[in-house]
Amino acid sequence: NKDYEYNTATETALLEVKKKAEEEKYFDAIKTQYDALKLSMNHDKQADIEKNKEEIISLLEEEIVRRYY
């Protein structure tokens, strides 16, 4: 079982919201809600893989074909 790190598009967008809020000096006002939202969005990597297994396999097959044929 290999460890790997990735962010969902939603997590990336949430991080952008945090950066913008910090730049605009609003983050302190929303920190509690931000932390709660981030916690509720924690994803289970194994569940993500199982849920998207067919798409992952298809993408890997396409990439292998492109590289070797």
Side-chain angles (χ1 to χ4, degrees), residues 10-30:
T10 305
E11 289 171 319
T12 301
L14 186 61
L15 184 56
E16 283 300 312
V17 168
K18 179 183 180 188
K19 287 178 186 177
K20 290 293 181 191
E22 287 173 336
E23 288 173 11
E24 297 174 352
K25 309 291 189 233
Y26 291 122
F27 186 70
D28 288 341
I30 66 165

Side-chain angles (χ1 to χ4, degrees), residues 14-65:
L14 186 61
L15 184 56
E16 283 300 312
V17 168
K18 179 183 180 188
K19 287 178 186 177
K20 290 293 181 191
E22 287 173 336
E23 288 173 11
E24 297 174 352
K25 309 291 189 233
Y26 291 122
F27 186 70
D28 288 341
I30 66 165
K31 184 179 183 332
T32 301
Q33 293 91 338
Y34 173 86
D35 290 341
L37 184 56
K38 187 174 179 184
L39 184 63
S40 71
M41 287 177 26
N42 278 344
H43 58 277
D44 179 358
K45 293 176 188 176
Q46 190 61 40
D48 286 350
I49 288 173
E50 289 301 318
K51 183 174 77 174
N52 297 297
K53 186 176 183 175
E54 293 302 317
E55 182 181 0
I56 292 168
I57 289 171
S58 177
L59 291 170
L60 287 171
E61 287 172 345
E62 288 175 20
E63 184 63 26
I64 290 168
V65 168

